[in-house]
Amino acid sequence: MRSLNDERKEFVAQNHNLIYAFLHANKLSVEDWYDIAAIGLCKAALSYDTSKSRFSTYAYKCMWNEVK
């Protein structure tokens, strides 16, 4: 399993508010779903390709896959 390097950790920290936006947009409880969405955000940071799409769009898809 790959781990986040310092650059990716900083990227996740800068974009952690996407978790709240995602949960709010999908009417999910922060208390129940935050950790699962955070896993999705970390997976997004690991596999994000800047040439494909905006990070927020990609992160939403990754978080959705974790919640499913």
Side-chain angles (χ1 to χ4, degrees):
M1 176 177 229
R2 293 176 13 188
S3 63
L4 294 172
N5 61 24
D6 290 338
E7 181 183 338
R8 296 294 178 161
K9 287 178 187 176
E10 182 66 24
F11 194 62
V12 168
Q14 292 171 352
N15 289 285
H16 84 279
N17 284 335
L18 289 174
I19 296 171
Y20 296 108
F22 169 79
L23 295 174
H24 178 71
N26 290 289
K27 297 178 177 61
L28 298 170
S29 165
V30 172
E31 293 83 19
D32 295 335
W33 296 99
Y34 180 89
D35 53 344
I36 296 170
I39 290 170
L41 181 65
C42 290
K43 287 183 177 182
L46 279 172
S47 59
Y48 177 60
D49 180 3
T50 58
S51 67
K52 299 290 181 183
S53 66
R54 292 181 53 194
F55 179 71
S56 59
T57 302
Y58 184 69
Y60 267 55
K61 290 179 183 181
C62 290
M63 287 187 279
W64 181 249
N65 286 338
E66 286 300 311
V67 167
K68 279 197 313 187

